[in-house]
Amino acid sequence: LEGVSEYIVPCVLHYGTHPHLCADSCNECLIFLHGCLDPFKQFYTLSRNLVTFFLSIVKNKKMTISGKGLGSYLQKIFEGGDKIYIKVPFIDDYGVEIIKSLIDKKDINIKTKVANLKILEKYKNHINLVFDESFHSKEYLITHGEQYIKISGSLNLTRSSLIDKEENLTIEWGEKLDDEVKLFINEFKY
């Protein structure tokens, strides 16, 4: 997606309560010559491990992160797409607020359990809703034309999952919708 790095880099840096800036977990691999107060208007030095780590993520177009508060990254990624596909078994009022904030700007498709109908009923004319009782996976797909970001892991669309609990995500991205992504999109058709 256009500007994907502004959404992916914060995810790469998120490993719990503070960032570990290196693949070997040290915090000394990114050195600012003038301190942290003016980090982007100066030259800085990266360790070989950090550069190798970031380049491997970019090359593989896939990364896994874990930690609390991953919902803020998910929301930022939502903002970059035209179409959003959400496949989660559990949605609460907090999740509905996120959906509500996107309704006027995005094409939203949700596959969830029938138990969530009551909480989503008010918006059923503004989103594509598909119900299925036979899944437990949590998956998100954000597309912008042919480009995509696919997210899978343990993240439900609930406050506890998006903010409070330790969760994990695998984020994959690509320039063109492949067969696997198209198959996922087909799950949202009646």
Side-chain angles (χ1 to χ4, degrees):
L1 298 177
E2 181 88 13
V4 75
S5 63
E6 84 181 71
Y7 302 111
I8 299 298
V9 171
C11 295
V12 171
L13 298 178
H14 184 85
Y15 286 97
T17 57
H18 63 284
H20 293 290
L21 297 175
C22 191
D24 61 8
S25 298
C26 79
N27 287 324
E28 298 176 15
C29 295
L30 184 58
I31 301 167
F32 296 111
L33 298 177
H34 300 116
C36 294
L37 298 176
D38 201 15
F40 298 107
K41 295 181 182 177
Q42 62 178 311
F43 291 104
Y44 49 92
T45 305
L46 297 174
S47 75
R48 183 178 304 133
N49 285 343
L50 184 59
V51 170
T52 303
F53 178 67
F54 278 111
L55 289 177
S56 72
I57 288 172
V58 172
K59 180 183 174 193
N60 294 328
K61 296 184 177 188
K62 182 177 183 176
M63 63 182 223
T64 301
I65 59 173
S66 62
K68 292 182 180 181
L70 297 179
S72 62
Y73 299 117
L74 185 65
Q75 286 179 268
K76 282 185 182 264
I77 294 170
F78 281 166
E79 292 170 10
D82 296 329
K83 295 182 180 180
I84 300 169
Y85 299 86
I86 300 170
K87 179 181 174 183
V88 293
F90 304 107
I91 302 172
D92 68 5
D93 291 330
Y94 187 82
V96 169
E97 287 301 313
I98 292 171
I99 293 165
K100 191 167 89 172
S101 73
L102 299 167
I103 281 177
D104 294 331
K105 302 175 252 178
K106 312 290 178 188
D107 178 6
I108 300 174
N109 302 273
I110 299 173
K111 183 175 184 177
T112 191
K113 297 195 177 216
V114 175
N116 293 311
L117 175 59
K118 186 174 181 181
I119 200 168
L120 293 169
E121 191 159 17
K122 184 176 181 181
Y123 307 101
K124 70 181 180 186
N125 294 328
H126 304 285
I127 56 180
N128 174 35
L129 274 173
V130 176
F131 296 103
D132 185 349
E133 299 299 312
S134 64
F135 75 97
H136 188 71
S137 60
K138 292 89 176 173
E139 299 174 83
Y140 302 84
L141 177 68
I142 300 88
T143 64
H144 181 77
E146 285 286 307
Q147 298 173 324
Y148 71 91
I149 296 176
K150 186 171 184 202
I151 301 168
S152 58
S154 61
L155 201 63
N156 278 300
L157 207 52
T158 63
R159 178 180 175 76
S160 63
S161 190
L162 296 167
I163 295 176
D164 302 327
K165 289 183 179 177
E166 181 89 13
E167 301 285 356
N168 66 69
L169 296 176
T170 298
I171 302 171
E172 301 174 63
W173 58 94
E175 297 298 317
K176 186 167 171 66
L177 300 176
D178 59 26
D179 290 340
E180 183 181 330
V181 172
K182 289 177 182 175
L183 194 61
F184 181 77
I185 291 171
N186 283 335
E187 290 185 38
F188 293 84
K189 295 182 178 170
Y190 298 121

